Amino acid sequence: MSPNRDQHRTPHHDKLPIRMLHDRVLVKQDTGEGERRSGGGILIPATAAVGRRLAWAEVVAVGQNVRTVEPGDRVLYDPEDRAEVEVRGVAYVLMRERDLHAVAADRFEGSEDSTGLYL
């Protein structure tokens, strides 16, 4: 690997002292469990029962075999299929690249494979 590519793959979140291996992706959840707002502005309490719901997270670090996501991308994943890890007091989620459902990144804007949806 070129030094430039290694720099691109290093975590940018608080300069984590770790290197991801193989096809692993380390993400930080966008929001914690708690109340949220609907699209119409209605406040939904944390105790409200909801069906199976996917969650968004920011990619913090990727292994050398990861091809579709980069640090800084937002990814959609199933929070029920996760392994949590704490690094320097911050909780992260560790998963394989194949467990991601979608990727949202500025670099996809205007590309052929972009859906054009605002996520």
Side-chain angles (χ1 to χ4, degrees):
M1 286 186 142
S2 69
N4 194 17
R5 183 173 176 161
D6 288 339
Q7 288 175 351
H8 182 65
R9 294 247 182 210
T10 55
H12 68 281
H13 249 280
D14 302 325
K15 302 293 182 188
L16 295 175
I18 58 175
R19 177 188 295 177
M20 302 306 298
L21 301 176
H22 310 296
D23 66 341
R24 301 310 194 276
V25 178
L26 187 69
V27 300
K28 185 170 190 224
Q29 293 178 321
D30 281 350
T31 60
E33 299 295 324
E35 53 187 43
R36 59 190 186 280
R37 290 206 179 268
S38 71
I42 298 171
L43 183 65
I44 302 169
T47 57
V50 293
R52 185 171 173 181
R53 184 182 191 101
L54 299 177
W56 286 101
E58 181 182 353
V59 175
V60 176
V62 298
Q64 68 268 21
N65 294 337
V66 173
R67 299 183 310 179
T68 57
V69 297
E70 299 175 1
D73 289 352
R74 292 185 66 223
V75 293
L76 188 64
Y77 73 100
D78 185 351
E80 292 180 10
D81 299 332
R82 66 181 181 186
E84 291 187 18
V85 62
E86 188 172 311
V87 178
R88 293 187 176 170
V90 179
Y92 296 93
V93 177
L94 177 65
M95 64 188 68
R96 290 180 180 263
E97 181 180 23
R98 69 178 179 220
D99 295 331
L100 301 174
H101 296 280
V103 181
D106 290 336
R107 68 179 183 278
F108 297 143
E109 190 172 334
S111 70
E112 293 175 10
D113 57 352
S114 176
T115 65
L117 297 175
Y118 292 99
L119 301 175

